[in-house]
């Protein structure tokens, strides 16, 4: 399959080029030339399929023309070595009523306890597939990734020890949780953590500038593992199909999905799933105080602005990259976007209130991001609908915040405890591009 740029001024790319380059020459994001429809019988029987079987069918639509079936199946099955359960929030008699049940899609059962394990692990394996296909190419691939929290840990651990790949994780100083930070600063080997004196948008700008730097690209082969990369965001569609399969076994009614949204790669992959035939009637994009997309839905004007620091830090994005893909997918039609997506935005106080009330009423512990999704779904669900929201990370990754809000002492899973035993290894830089460039490519 060929891939085109959302800016429309770059040549078509192969899947390999789209994955290895990450960003098109005209600074646009790559999009698949067409989106294949899955057959009706697939959805008729989806409730009888495993997560891996469902994911392989979806992956084949995107990548089957470029990766042989045996290799693609291995990539999918290796990526998804953990479950993604759909858990009902509330007691058996609670939260039903006229509006139907509410479920949490728990995306924190992977190695780094966050939803980005799916896309990061898939991309690492796909990139290695292309590297192995050209054994004569001894040039190291350098992966640049900006993180507001969970992306860094998922990518770093997904690529840890992979031969021929070096990962640079850029993160904003003092704006990720201590547990998140230790998941990518303690690894060493082929992982370099870069602590940027700025916000997430500054980290993202440094990565984009690096891709556009012809001198740097002549010396280093660069790619991105942020959701701007097609190999990172497209696999995230897998778990929406799996959520629907689980819901189909338990409930009737129109399905609504609520996605806590920051850089908008997650909900973008869900919208691709809908184009493939996934029977989700509508989506809710839940924002924290960074309400750029919410305001776009209300006004039709996209007006990025500096991000605001919140307790739902992974969503602290003031200029979401994947907005370009959503606009392209809907032919730049504000009306068409609003038909499929509604929005919600919440302050830190509202997020905290939701975490406390959900725990008191249902016994379910939300993390700050999941709290945005849960509240938006509960407030937005209509008669005849059932819904699920994405619980994007384990609450223990935000232990200090969760405990202070809920008065709890949430247990830290063993996998997180192991990360916390390591020694921090990071390089500090300002948000000045030239200073950052010297870290990547020191002067002789």
């Amino acid at each position: 399959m060929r891939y085109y740029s959302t800016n429309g001024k770059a040549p078509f790319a192969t899947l390999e080029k789209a994955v290895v380059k990450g960003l098109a020459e005209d600074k646009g994001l790559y999009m698949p030339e067409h989106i294949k429809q899955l057959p009706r019988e697939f959805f008729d029987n989806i409730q009888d399929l495993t997560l891996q079987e469902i994911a392989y069918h979806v992956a084949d639509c995107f990548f089957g023309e470029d990766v042989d079936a045996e290799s693609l199946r291995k990539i999918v099955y290796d990526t998804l070595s953990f479950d993604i359960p759909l858990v009902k929030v509330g007691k058996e008699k609670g939260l039903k009523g006229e509006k139907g049940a509410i479920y949490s899609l728990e995306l924190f059962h992977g190695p780094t306890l966050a939803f980005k394990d799916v896309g990061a692990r898939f991309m690492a394996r796909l990139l290695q597939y292309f590297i192995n296909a050209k054994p004569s190419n001894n040039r190291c691939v350098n992966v640049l990734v900006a993180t507001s929290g969970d992306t860094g840990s998922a990518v770093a651990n997904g690529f840890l020890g992979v031969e021929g790949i070096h990962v640079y994780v850029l993160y904003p100083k003092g704006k990720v949780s201590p547990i998140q930070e230790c998941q990518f600063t303690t690894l060493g080997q082929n992982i370099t953590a870069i602590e940027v004196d700025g916000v997430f948008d500054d980290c993202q700008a440094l990565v984009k500038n690096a891709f556009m730097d012809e001198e740097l690209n002549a010396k280093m082969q660069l790619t991105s593992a942020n959701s701007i990369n097609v190999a990172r965001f497209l696999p995230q569609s897998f778990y929406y199909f799996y959520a629907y399969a689980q819901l189909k076994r338990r409930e009737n009614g129109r399905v609504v999905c609520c996605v806590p949204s920051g850089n908008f790669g997650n909900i973008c992959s869900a919208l691709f799933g809908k184009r493939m035939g996934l029977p989700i009637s509508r989506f809710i994009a839940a924002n924290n105080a960074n309400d750029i997309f919410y305001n776009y839905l209300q006004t039709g004007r996209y007006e990025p602005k500096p991000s605001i620091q919140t307790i739902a830090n992974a969503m602290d994005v003031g200029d979401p990259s994947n907005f370009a893909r959503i606009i392209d997918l809907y032919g730049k039609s504000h009306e068409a976007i609003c038909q499929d997506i509604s929005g919600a935005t919440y302050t830190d106080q509202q997020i905290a209130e939701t975490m406390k009330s959900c725990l008191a009423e249902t016994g379910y512990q939300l993390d700050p991001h999941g709290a945005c999704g849960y509240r938006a779904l509960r407030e937005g669900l209509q008669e005849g609908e059932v819904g699920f929201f994405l619980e994007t990370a384990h609450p223990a990754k935000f232990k200090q915040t969760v405990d202070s809000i809920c008065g709890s002492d949430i247990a830290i899973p063993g996998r997180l405890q192991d990360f916390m035993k390591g020694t921090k290894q990071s390089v500090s830089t300002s948000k000045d591009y030239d200073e950052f460039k010297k870290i990547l490519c020191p002067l002789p």
Side-chain angles (χ1 to χ4, degrees):
M1 186 183 296
R2 300 192 306 172
Y3 290 78
Y4 67 90
S5 168
T6 53
N7 286 343
K9 297 178 181 178
F12 280 94
T14 62
L15 173 62
E16 180 179 1
K17 180 181 177 181
V19 173
V20 172
K21 293 295 291 182
L23 203 63
E25 294 90 336
D26 62 357
K27 301 185 181 181
L29 305 188
Y30 282 118
M31 294 277 283
E33 189 174 20
H34 55 272
I35 300 173
K36 295 182 180 180
Q37 283 273 321
L38 284 157
R40 180 172 179 175
E41 52 266 30
F42 171 75
F43 294 104
D44 288 343
N45 301 301
I46 193 170
Q47 70 278 3
D48 299 322
L49 302 178
T50 66
L51 167 61
Q52 292 86 352
E53 289 169 339
I54 291 169
Y56 176 74
H57 282 287
V58 178
D60 185 56
C61 290
F62 289 126
F63 310 112
E65 296 176 15
D66 303 284
V67 181
D68 66 89
E70 182 179 351
S71 296
L72 184 59
R73 188 180 298 275
K74 187 176 189 306
I75 289 171
V76 169
Y77 277 65
D78 284 352
T79 296
L80 298 169
S81 59
F82 50 90
D83 195 20
I84 304 175
L86 194 70
V87 177
K88 191 171 185 179
V89 177
K91 299 175 182 177
E92 187 62 29
K93 295 182 180 179
L95 299 181
K96 279 191 174 182
E98 296 178 345
K99 293 183 178 181
I102 292 178
Y103 288 83
S104 168
L105 183 64
E106 293 188 344
L107 291 160
F108 53 71
H109 294 276
T112 71
L113 287 78
F115 80 94
K116 294 172 183 178
D117 280 325
V118 175
R121 286 166 62 82
F122 186 94
M123 181 188 168
R125 285 154 178 76
L126 184 61
L127 188 56
Q128 189 171 43
Y129 168 84
F130 287 128
I131 291 174
N132 292 341
K134 294 182 178 180
S136 60
N137 183 5
N138 295 320
R139 197 178 187 194
C140 178
V141 175
N142 298 279
V143 177
L144 304 184
V145 57
T147 184
S148 55
D150 289 327
T151 297
S153 56
V155 170
N157 286 271
F159 283 88
L160 183 63
V162 176
E163 187 176 351
I165 298 175
H166 194 99
V167 177
Y168 296 86
V169 180
L170 288 75
Y171 69 102
K173 182 179 180 180
K175 295 178 174 62
V176 302
S177 77
I179 292 179
Q180 286 176 315
E181 185 178 24
C182 72
Q183 285 189 293
F184 55 81
T185 61
T186 61
L187 301 175
Q189 297 186 56
N190 60 325
I191 310 299
T192 298
I194 302 177
E195 189 175 37
V196 179
D197 191 5
V199 297
F200 169 77
D201 296 308
D202 297 318
C203 299
Q204 188 162 254
L206 290 174
V207 170
K208 289 184 177 179
N209 287 336
F211 289 134
M212 297 303 115
D213 187 328
E214 293 182 5
E215 179 188 25
L216 182 63
N217 281 265
K219 297 178 181 179
M220 302 178 70
Q221 185 166 335
L222 302 177
T223 189
S224 171
N226 280 91
S227 56
I228 61 175
N229 197 302
V230 293
R232 243 295 309 279
F233 97 91
L234 285 176
Q236 292 175 174
S237 63
F238 298 163
Y239 44 74
Y240 292 97
F241 288 86
Y242 185 53
Y244 173 75
Q246 295 178 78
L247 203 56
K248 189 179 177 185
R249 300 181 197 132
R250 309 179 197 180
E251 302 285 346
N252 295 312
R254 300 185 305 277
V255 178
V256 178
C257 173
C258 185
V259 185
S261 300
N263 217 18
F264 278 76
N266 212 349
I267 196 169
C268 190
S269 66
L271 298 172
F272 271 67
K274 185 174 177 65
R275 289 294 177 92
M276 298 170 74
L278 180 62
I280 294 180
S281 61
R282 63 186 183 90
F283 296 88
I284 305 172
N287 291 149
N288 55 21
N290 295 277
D291 55 3
I292 294 82
F293 185 77
Y294 176 81
N295 289 336
Y296 165 77
L297 293 176
Q298 311 309 310
T299 66
R301 296 188 302 273
Y302 179 69
E303 299 174 336
K305 54 189 177 183
S307 60
I308 302 168
Q309 186 173 357
T310 76
I311 59 173
N313 65 285
M315 294 155 60
D316 292 350
V317 182
D319 186 8
S321 294
N322 286 285
F323 180 78
R325 283 194 170 111
I326 294 174
I327 284 288
D328 185 272
L329 188 66
Y330 285 87
K332 300 182 179 180
S333 170
H334 175 257
E335 181 182 359
I337 291 172
C338 290
Q339 286 179 353
D340 280 351
I341 314 171
S342 61
T345 177
Y346 300 109
T347 65
D348 276 1
Q349 182 179 347
Q350 290 173 312
I351 294 170
E353 290 171 352
T354 304
M355 293 169 66
K356 287 190 290 187
S357 63
C358 181
L359 184 61
E361 295 170 8
T362 72
Y364 192 84
Q365 178 67 74
L366 297 163
D367 91 294
H369 310 80
C372 293
Y374 170 74
R375 181 161 180 160
L377 185 59
R378 189 169 187 181
E379 292 177 347
L381 208 60
Q382 300 171 8
E383 185 176 351
E385 294 180 334
V386 296
F388 68 94
F389 67 94
L390 273 55
E391 181 57 287
T392 53
H394 195 287
K397 297 191 77 169
F398 313 94
K399 177 175 173 57
Q400 185 175 356
T401 299
V402 172
D403 286 350
S404 64
I405 289 172
C406 298
S408 56
D409 183 14
I410 190 168
I412 301 177
R415 279 172 289 175
L416 286 184
Q417 292 181 24
D418 291 339
F419 286 116
M420 296 170 69
K421 296 175 184 175
T423 301
K424 178 179 176 179
Q425 306 172 59
S426 65
V427 181
S428 299
T429 184
S430 71
K431 56 186 178 184
D432 178 73
Y433 175 69
D434 289 334
E435 183 178 341
F436 165 63
K437 182 177 177 180
K438 291 176 183 177
I439 295 173
L440 295 181
C441 192
L443 294 175

